Amino acid sequence: MIEFIAENLAPIMFASLIVFLLLGYPVAFSLAANGLLFFIIGVELAPLSDSINLSWPLLNALPDRFWGVMSNDTLLAIPFFTFMGIVLEKSGMAEDLLDTIGQLFGPIRGGLAYAVIFVGALLAATTGVVAASVIAMGLISLPIMLRYGYDRKVASGVIAASGTLAQIIPPSLVLIVLADQLGRSVGDMYAGALIPGLVLTGLYMVYILIMTILKRDSMPALPPEARTLGSGVTSLIIALIVAGAFAYAAHVYLYPTHGENADILGATVGVAFIYVVALLDRGLKINAMSRLAQQVIIVLIPPLALIFLVLGTIFLGIATPTEGGAMGAVGALIMAAAKGRLHMDVVRGALTATTRLSAFVLFILIGARVFSLTFYGVNGHLWVEHLLTAMPGGETGFLIAVNLLVFFLAFFLDFFELAFIIVPLLAPAADKLGIDLIWFGVLLGINMQTSFMHPPFGFALFYLRSVAAKVPYLDRLTGKTIQPVTTGQIYWGAVPFVGIQILMVALTIMFPQMVMHYKGTGPVVDPNTIKIEVPSFAPGGGLSLPDNGGGLGLPGGLQLPGDSPLDQKPADQGGGSQPQPAPSNDLSQPPSFGTGAQPQPAPSNDLSQPPSFK
């Protein structure tokens, strides 16, 4: 029995960790305690198995591993993006966006649902925090949807699902962690995840469109009295056309001096122009634009500018993700100050939440380092690698098995736990199979997104449950009694969106170019056409490739210069009475060590005959 435990310590250790987690122990302490417990067991059982490489001095490596966690510059982006998201949530940006975009889409069926998805994508690109997005949209949009007769399941599902877009649309926190665990660039991970995130947003909208066709009464349009901004879509379209014209003109003007960056600079000029025009139109009461166009432009452009400040500088290579996060935090403070909502309570609350999340991530990482030290010491990584690479179906079988595993574990673990525990075990096997790790990371990120959505432990569902009405209440505008939203309605509303996320995983596997575009479209080089030429050294000394009439004379090989001592024929060793010539001061020729009295013959370059030693 002891020999069996010693030979199978890796799977026993992994199963014990799952048991610890299912029992509800904190993740960081479960990892550390499990690692230390099995370290002691492994040291005692090491003589019984060749697969255990543990000894007490190995614990001396822990301080260096802890320091590696604390000195990781990549993870410094997490507190910056967390702080930025919480400040923006407190600044009222989500409320303004939901109200304005809801008015824009209000005249069509499902307009509020489209607005929630659109704003969810914008909040994902500015905050990167799921909790902030779900809570903000649950507080603001859910009462309005219930007021105008939206189906409770659809309303709950679309709010929870739109909030989880912060998982996959940059600057997502989970993408930072995945890039760190996979040993890849955060910028590449962001670039690879951008298109899948936008496609997933589009799939949500397609689902709403289908529902408005199949169940016309489930999502009615806003009544005319609820459209406080009135109409004015034509005015908005004209304003966008004018902005596009200015952007193109600026692009043409700047292209000779700025090259490829002229398109981005031109777009910046066009957006800034229409924003200033909208501000002047409202401030001076010119009213050349409709109220709707004014509100959409004034409300929408600041978060778009913040997105460019963060993601644009990262994609252009101007800033690292950490620097982009720092600029985003400053931009969030400026936006909050511009709205008059920046005060010490906001800053204090944001700092408290940021510190709590950063400490949570740091302690999980430290626990994961303790666990991995023991797990690698019992060759657990090799056990996992052999188990996964031996899956039938090769790469496809591996991807199916891994995604099923992550989907199942997401019922019980959140994305941080999955990223720190499971991903380091999967990455070596994926790399060995030749799978691009950026693509693999984005695929896992989409899959982990379901951990927020599916019952019974989806955190997005818990966030929505905390802000949704639990008892009947009187609506302040209509005076009608609104029935509460039940937990069952929230759970059932999330199920279709979990299915959409699974569909997105399949699409990412079927169309990998959605992610692989991050590599760019540089020139393709054929390795067979590569010719390596090594230049020769200066003549008269050192090693030389070209034949100079002497030396070793080996075709294609290394040769010595013609005056090398290897080219000299040994002296005639027969005795003689003639004195040796006086030594010469010319050091360009090697000395002669002949024993006879006759002078040495001139050196020959013919090495076809062996030297004679007489």
Side-chain angles (χ1 to χ4, degrees):
M1 183 64 179
I2 298 298
E3 289 80 3
F4 175 81
I5 295 176
E7 292 294 335
N8 296 277
L9 199 59
I12 294 173
M13 182 179 178
F14 186 77
S16 300
L17 175 63
I18 299 299
V19 171
F20 270 107
L21 295 175
L22 293 180
L23 289 176
Y25 287 99
V27 178
F29 302 122
S30 297
L31 287 167
N34 198 60
L36 291 175
L37 174 63
F38 278 89
F39 187 93
I40 297 172
I41 297 173
V43 170
E44 297 298 327
L45 298 182
L48 302 178
S49 175
D50 294 335
S51 63
I52 300 178
N53 305 304
L54 295 176
S55 59
W56 294 114
L58 191 60
L59 288 176
N60 295 329
L62 281 179
D64 287 337
R65 295 170 73 87
F66 293 163
W67 174 249
V69 172
M70 293 184 288
S71 60
N72 191 334
D73 291 338
T74 301
L75 296 178
L76 191 61
I78 291 178
F80 283 133
F81 285 124
T82 305
F83 181 83
M84 178 182 75
I86 295 173
V87 170
L88 287 176
E89 188 260 331
K90 299 292 185 183
S91 71
M93 183 188 72
E95 182 177 352
D96 293 342
L97 282 172
L98 284 167
D99 180 60
T100 303
I101 304 302
Q103 293 283 329
L104 180 63
F105 288 102
I108 61 176
R109 285 197 305 271
L112 290 177
Y114 291 126
V116 167
I117 296 172
F118 184 80
V119 173
L122 277 179
L123 292 178
T126 50
T127 66
V129 181
V130 174
S133 299
V134 174
I135 291 174
M137 291 189 295
L139 286 171
I140 300 165
S141 295
L142 187 58
I144 300 176
M145 289 179 165
L146 298 181
R147 177 185 302 158
Y148 295 112
Y150 269 61
D151 183 273
R152 283 166 168 73
K153 296 178 183 178
V154 176
S156 302
V158 74
I159 290 174
S162 300
T164 62
L165 288 173
Q167 280 289 97
I168 193 61
I169 294 180
S172 163
L173 299 183
V174 70
L175 294 178
I176 298 174
V177 175
L178 285 172
D180 176 71
Q181 295 299 302
L182 293 171
R184 292 298 184 265
S185 163
V186 177
D188 288 344
M189 191 71 76
Y190 278 178
L194 186 59
I195 291 180
L198 296 178
V199 171
L200 184 60
T201 305
L203 290 177
Y204 287 170
M205 290 188 173
V206 170
Y207 170 73
I208 296 300
L209 176 62
I210 294 174
M211 289 297 295
T212 56
I213 296 174
L214 298 180
K215 299 178 66 176
R216 298 176 61 89
D217 296 332
S218 62
M219 290 174 282
L222 284 180
E225 62 271 14
R227 303 171 200 167
T228 56
L229 293 179
S231 60
V233 176
T234 303
S235 175
L236 178 62
I237 294 175
I238 293 174
L240 294 178
I241 293 174
V242 172
F246 268 84
Y248 179 75
H251 166 77
V252 173
Y253 178 77
L254 295 172
Y255 186 80
T257 55
H258 293 80
E260 295 181 354
N261 290 333
D263 51 354
I264 297 177
L265 295 174
T268 303
V269 170
V271 170
F273 169 77
I274 200 65
Y275 184 67
V276 172
V277 169
L279 288 176
L280 293 176
D281 189 53
R282 171 179 289 185
L284 300 178
K285 300 185 183 302
I286 301 174
N287 295 327
M289 296 182 183
S290 66
R291 288 182 57 206
L292 178 65
Q294 288 178 359
Q295 186 71 7
V296 169
I297 292 172
I298 293 173
V299 169
L300 199 59
I301 286 181
L304 290 177
L306 187 62
I307 292 172
F308 173 75
L309 181 67
V310 176
L311 297 181
T313 53
I314 293 174
F315 291 155
L316 290 175
I318 299 174
T320 66
T322 302
E323 295 166 347
M327 291 190 295
V330 174
L333 291 173
I334 293 173
M335 286 183 61
K339 292 179 177 294
R341 300 187 182 183
L342 182 62
H343 44 81
M344 284 307 300
D345 289 340
V346 171
V347 176
R348 189 181 298 110
L351 289 175
T352 302
T354 301
T355 304
R356 185 182 297 113
L357 179 63
S358 301
F360 170 73
V361 172
L362 184 64
F363 272 96
I364 290 182
L365 268 175
I366 289 175
R369 288 295 184 267
V370 178
F371 177 83
S372 65
L373 178 71
T374 304
F375 197 68
Y376 278 62
V378 298
N379 285 330
H381 60 299
L382 297 179
W383 168 70
V384 174
E385 182 178 321
H386 294 159
L387 183 67
L388 294 175
T389 55
M391 290 283 179
E395 180 181 324
T396 303
F398 167 80
L399 290 173
I400 293 174
V402 164
N403 280 285
L404 288 176
L405 173 66
V406 172
F407 181 77
F408 173 75
L409 291 178
F411 277 89
F412 312 101
L413 306 176
D414 72 356
F415 73 94
F416 274 129
E417 296 158 3
L418 291 170
F420 291 136
I421 300 172
I422 303 300
V423 173
L425 303 178
L426 302 178
D431 196 33
K432 188 173 182 179
L433 289 171
I435 297 174
D436 185 89
L437 291 185
I438 293 291
W439 178 70
F440 186 63
V442 172
L443 190 65
L444 291 182
I446 299 172
N447 199 333
M448 289 179 190
Q449 189 177 351
T450 61
S451 69
F452 279 89
M453 287 292 294
H454 49 43
F457 302 113
F459 285 93
L461 308 182
F462 292 160
Y463 298 146
L464 184 58
R465 174 70 280 174
S466 67
V467 297
K470 301 179 181 63
V471 295
Y473 66 94
L474 191 66
D475 185 74
R476 58 184 179 85
L477 289 183
T478 61
K480 297 179 180 179
T481 300
I482 306 295
Q483 295 301 316
V485 179
T486 65
T487 302
Q489 289 171 339
I490 294 176
Y491 281 1
W492 281 111
V495 170
F497 291 94
V498 174
I500 294 174
Q501 291 168 347
I502 296 174
L503 174 63
M504 190 65 222
V505 171
L507 291 176
T508 306
I509 295 176
M510 294 168 60
F511 304 101
Q513 195 55 37
M514 284 195 297
V515 178
M516 299 301 290
H517 71 90
Y518 81 92
K519 290 187 174 181
T521 57
V524 179
V525 179
D526 185 1
N528 297 322
T529 62
I530 298 175
K531 183 183 294 184
I532 300 176
E533 296 181 357
V534 181
S536 62
F537 293 91
L543 298 176
S544 177
L545 288 174
D547 190 1
N548 56 10
L552 296 179
L554 299 177
L558 295 176
Q559 301 168 346
L560 295 173
D563 52 3
S564 168
L566 293 181
D567 292 323
Q568 305 281 339
K569 295 185 70 175
D572 186 0
Q573 297 182 13
S577 58
Q578 298 297 327
Q580 298 298 323
S584 172
N585 292 328
D586 184 7
L587 297 181
S588 63
Q589 298 296 328
S592 173
F593 299 99
T595 58
Q598 299 296 326
Q600 301 302 313
S604 170
N605 290 330
D606 184 10
L607 293 180
S608 61
Q609 299 297 327
S612 172
F613 299 94
K614 297 182 180 180

